[in-house]
Amino acid sequence: MRDAPRGPWRTGSLAGPCLSPGPLSRRALLRALAVGGGAFLAACQAAAPTAAPRASEPPAAAPTAAPGSTGASGADGWEQQWQALLAAARQEGRVTIGGPASPDLRVAVPAKLKERFGIETEYIAFPPNQGEFIERLAREQSAGQYTVDVFVGGAQSIFTAAYPQQIMAPLRPQLIHPEAMDVTKWRPGRVWFKDPDDTYFMQIFNQVSGQIAVNTEEVHPDEIQSWHDLLDPRFTGKLSAWDPTLPGTGWNTANWLRLTFGDDYLKQLYVDQKVNIPADARQWADWLARGTYPIAIGAASRDVETLKKDGFPIAVLPSFPEAPGVVTGAFGIVVLLANPPHPSAAKLLVNWLAMREGQETWGRADQMASVRTDVDNAWVPSYAVPKPEYQYLDGYDWTYVNTAFPESIPKIRQIMALRQ
């Protein structure tokens, strides 16, 4: 028997997964927590700050600053501050960035910063486990060494490791350019900080994950019209998914399905249907391309589009209204490190990443969907861009990340242990 969505986790329920981007107020959060109960009691945070004015790319004519905009100094001051910041950053001559191990990012971002501002960039790629990078930074800071200015990464280890160890500096006060603070250009209706202090962790990308991809030579897309269709016996042994017992896409997808449809559904899917777990992205892609396991759960758009470009018959199924997906920023949380070695260049960089050009440059290189309304995201496939008519689970919500994983992972591991 198919499990129906349970209680407060029904898609579209006020107490269910929060709209993203469309955060709830603190009062609504508390109300949702009181009503919801269970493993994950997530709602979105803080109301939008006062809107800042529109602004074109620097050096633009000075607009009027909005009253109370953090970091702004009014029409008579921001241009002078910006020009002084440019001069100081050029004097320092370089900036050090930590980011995902993307060859395109390592080329595109330094080239644009050199062209745009005349500064050099040292790009440090994360190891496969971003937490190792954060622990390294924490050890360095404990020894009085500060080697990285800014890094752009994923929420799990940032929220659970970087924040408790306080390796970061307040980012919001560093935003001085009106374009960076123009809330009419941010899809959440505010400059999107995800931490409870609303000042440290700025999310600049947001896109849908949890999609289903199929090899159309083995499975016709019309054969799967809902998540429950995956339980059909004819698909037994034909599915793959990322490991749901580890932080990242695999866990986010599995926990979202568990919260939406229940533990029994998760067992039927991952255990009874004999879902296969790839060792890495290369194996996952090979399985899907060859049709070895022609249905892939939690497909990453970058990997899917690469296979399609290489001529393989791959299709991504449209979102199902019963459970449209999880949205996350992937490697899209900007963190300003404490005592950055190049403070002016670091300040320039976080402003640039909050602006159109910065998000467009980084997003195009890493194939991520910007949260700015003036970025067209043409490089991102349409299925990965959040649709306003759907209510997604926000996989980068502060409460979700800090509460759902430690509460749900033992249950998911218990379910997965039944595979043995």
Side-chain angles (χ1 to χ4, degrees):
M1 180 179 293
R2 295 178 177 177
D3 294 332
R6 301 182 300 166
W9 302 118
R10 288 192 298 272
T11 302
S13 167
L14 173 63
C18 62
L19 265 174
S20 181
L24 300 173
S25 67
R26 184 173 299 276
R27 180 175 296 176
L29 168 61
L30 294 176
R31 182 165 60 248
L33 290 174
V35 173
F40 160 51
L41 306 175
C44 299
Q45 305 167 309
T50 304
R54 295 186 177 185
S56 59
E57 289 186 75
T64 301
S69 296
T70 304
S73 60
D76 295 332
W78 81 265
E79 274 197 313
Q80 291 86 342
Q81 286 193 57
W82 185 254
Q83 294 303 321
L85 178 62
L86 288 175
R90 288 165 180 156
Q91 183 67 31
E92 290 171 351
R94 66 187 304 104
V95 67
T96 303
I97 305 173
S102 163
D104 293 334
L105 276 175
R106 297 183 70 151
V107 172
V109 172
K112 180 58 72 172
L113 290 174
K114 177 67 173 178
E115 171 196 332
R116 188 72 168 79
F117 303 117
I119 61 174
E120 302 291 339
T121 301
E122 180 183 3
Y123 188 98
I124 300 175
F126 297 146
N129 181 355
Q130 180 188 277
E132 295 176 6
F133 177 78
I134 290 175
E135 290 303 319
R136 173 199 135 184
L137 294 175
R139 289 193 302 270
E140 289 179 350
Q141 290 189 8
S142 295
Q145 299 177 358
Y146 301 91
T147 60
V148 179
D149 294 295
V150 174
F151 75 92
V152 185
Q156 183 77 35
S157 54
I158 289 176
F159 293 2
T160 62
Y163 185 80
Q165 298 186 77
Q166 293 289 291
I167 67 171
M168 66 287 177
L171 191 156
R172 182 185 286 278
Q174 305 303 315
L175 300 179
I176 64 171
H177 197 284
E179 182 182 319
M181 299 181 295
D182 182 358
V183 298
T184 69
K185 294 297 191 294
W186 287 72
R187 285 189 173 85
R190 64 188 177 106
V191 182
W192 205 7
F193 285 88
K194 304 307 291 268
D195 56 281
D197 306 283
D198 200 36
T199 194
Y200 291 110
F201 305 140
M202 181 174 68
Q203 183 169 336
I204 59 174
F205 302 117
N206 195 51
Q207 62 190 52
V208 183
S209 64
Q211 296 99 333
I212 301 169
V214 299
N215 183 309
T216 58
E217 288 185 348
E218 302 293 332
V219 177
H220 194 279
D222 290 344
E223 295 182 70
I224 303 173
Q225 298 290 328
S226 78
W227 282 97
H228 291 286
D229 288 343
L230 295 179
L231 304 183
D232 192 306
R234 62 197 164 126
F235 297 138
T236 302
K238 295 185 177 181
L239 298 97
S240 70
W242 297 107
D243 192 339
T245 67
L246 300 175
T249 300
W251 172 75
N252 255 327
T253 301
N255 193 52
W256 158 61
L257 292 172
R258 186 182 72 85
L259 293 170
T260 304
F261 299 118
D263 289 350
D264 188 54
Y265 175 87
L266 199 70
K267 174 187 174 296
Q268 291 178 62
L269 180 62
Y270 281 80
V271 178
D272 299 345
Q273 288 294 79
K274 298 180 172 56
V275 167
N276 295 273
I277 310 297
D280 51 38
R282 178 173 295 182
Q283 185 177 51
W284 174 91
D286 185 69
W287 285 350
L288 185 60
R290 295 175 181 272
T292 308
Y293 303 110
I295 304 173
I297 302 171
S301 59
R302 174 191 284 271
D303 297 329
V304 168
E305 295 307 306
T306 298
L307 290 178
K308 291 168 65 175
K309 185 177 179 180
D310 289 342
F312 292 102
I314 309 301
V316 174
L317 304 186
S319 295
F320 304 132
E322 60 186 319
V326 182
V327 287
T328 75
F331 290 110
I333 301 289
V334 182
V335 181
L336 174 66
L337 275 300
N339 299 316
H342 312 99
S344 295
K347 183 174 182 176
L348 178 65
L349 176 62
V350 297
N351 274 269
W352 183 72
L353 287 171
M355 296 161 65
R356 183 193 62 77
E357 184 181 72
Q359 292 190 27
E360 184 175 270
T361 301
W362 194 289
R364 184 183 297 275
D366 206 30
Q367 296 181 28
M368 295 295 298
S370 165
V371 299
R372 288 187 62 96
T373 62
D374 52 1
V375 175
D376 64 16
N377 294 316
W379 50 88
V380 180
S382 61
Y383 59 79
V385 179
K387 307 294 189 297
E389 65 268 25
Y390 286 140
Q391 193 170 30
Y392 302 93
L393 186 150
D394 183 359
Y396 274 18
D397 175 76
W398 181 267
T399 304
Y400 178 76
V401 171
N402 284 280
T403 304
F405 184 78
E407 290 187 354
S408 72
I409 199 64
K411 298 177 183 179
I412 292 177
R413 287 176 175 167
Q414 186 178 30
I415 290 171
M416 293 300 290
L418 299 174
R419 290 161 51 91
Q420 300 175 358

